[in-house]
Amino acid sequence: DAGVIQSPRHEVTEMGQEVTLRCKPISGHNSLFWYRQTMMRGLELLIYFNNNVPIDDSGMPEDRFSAKMPNASFSTLKIQPSEPRDSAVYFCASTTGAGYGYTFGSGTRLTVV
Amino acid sequence: KNQVEQSPQSLIILEGKNCTLQCNYTVSPFSNLRWYKQDTGRGPVSLTIMTFSENTKSNGRYTATLDADTKQSSLHITASQLSDSASYICVVSGVSGGYNKLIFGAGTRLAVHP
């Protein structure tokens, strides 16, 4: 099992540009989570999908952030337009519906300059 | 308010020594408690997961305890190694809106020195 796969590992972009982060959950996991981690705020849940349907997006900071899960094996987190304060490590995690096997990806380190 | 508090915030120990990290939570209803290890530049990796009825669980040199009455957990690391240097995050799962919701602690940053 390759685990949760995220891409890219690192992204450096200029302020105002669109950024798309990608995630492939573990096969058979039906829940997917996007997190943001910063030194100041730790891990913050952005959005949570269950069976490809967004369940809780209360953590999405503002309208510049959007997430999609078109099928069970792929999700994207898009920031448009990006701002320097969006710089953080973004993690994707997946799990079964019962909450076991909760596995994080290696993260995408985003730097907006 | 659902909260998870960890202590100490950071810790430095010498290689070979033992240490204990603490986690207090106020999450209710409680489903399970997990300890994660996060190496620098990596995603968190699960060490242990305990449900309400479990008091202790071990994973190699890592032993987690849970007191559901006092809502406290600890992670004990025995015979520390340099590779134990990482952040250790306590995560409590509670049911909210019919779904398991994870509440993360801020983590304890452990440095093991030779």
Side-chain angles (χ1 to χ4, degrees), chain A residues 9 33 35 37 39 42-45 48 50 55-56 58 91 95 97-107 109, chain B residues 31-32 34 36 38 40-46 49-51 89 91 93 97-102 104-106 109:
Chain A
R9 284 300 309 275
F33 305 77
Y35 290 89
Q37 187 177 40
M39 288 291 292
L43 272 162
E44 300 174 282
L45 177 66
Y48 156 41
N50 191 54
I55 302 300
D56 182 357
S58 60
F91 287 103
T95 186
Y100 290 93
Y102 205 101
T103 305
F104 284 84
S106 296
R109 181 174 295 277
Chain B
S31 178
N32 56 66
R34 311 153 191 257
Y36 281 86
Q38 185 176 19
T40 301
R42 313 284 292 184
V45 174
S46 180
I49 177 171
M50 290 182 290
T51 59
I89 304 172
V91 185
S93 177
Y99 296 94
N100 275 304
K101 195 163 189 175
L102 299 188
F104 288 80
R109 188 175 296 275

Side-chain angles (χ1 to χ4, degrees), chain B residues 26-83:
Chain B
T26 58
V27 178
S28 181
F30 171 86
S31 178
N32 56 66
L33 184 146
R34 311 153 191 257
W35 282 94
Y36 281 86
K37 178 186 179 188
Q38 185 176 19
D39 293 309
T40 301
R42 313 284 292 184
V45 174
S46 180
L47 294 175
T48 63
I49 177 171
M50 290 182 290
T51 59
F52 182 88
S53 59
E54 295 176 293
N55 299 119
T56 185
K57 184 163 281 189
S58 292
N59 178 359
R61 295 179 295 102
Y62 301 101
T63 299
T65 65
L66 173 63
D67 186 333
D69 291 330
T70 62
K71 297 186 177 181
Q72 296 179 326
S73 176
S74 67
L75 180 69
H76 186 75
I77 304 175
T78 304
S80 60
Q81 300 177 358
L82 298 179
S83 59

Side-chain angles (χ1 to χ4, degrees), chain A residues 37-94:
Chain A
Q37 187 177 40
T38 62
M39 288 291 292
M40 292 294 293
R41 301 172 69 93
L43 272 162
E44 300 174 282
L45 177 66
L46 299 177
I47 188 169
Y48 156 41
F49 291 88
N50 191 54
N51 292 323
N52 312 339
V53 177
I55 302 300
D56 182 357
D57 65 353
S58 60
M60 296 287 263
E62 47 196 276
D63 291 345
R64 296 184 298 107
F65 286 69
S66 63
K68 294 182 180 179
M69 192 164 186
N71 56 62
S73 59
F74 183 66
S75 177
T76 60
L77 177 68
K78 184 178 293 185
I79 308 172
Q80 166 62 21
S82 57
E83 297 182 2
R85 59 193 170 115
D86 301 331
S87 298
V89 181
Y90 291 81
F91 287 103
C92 175
S94 71

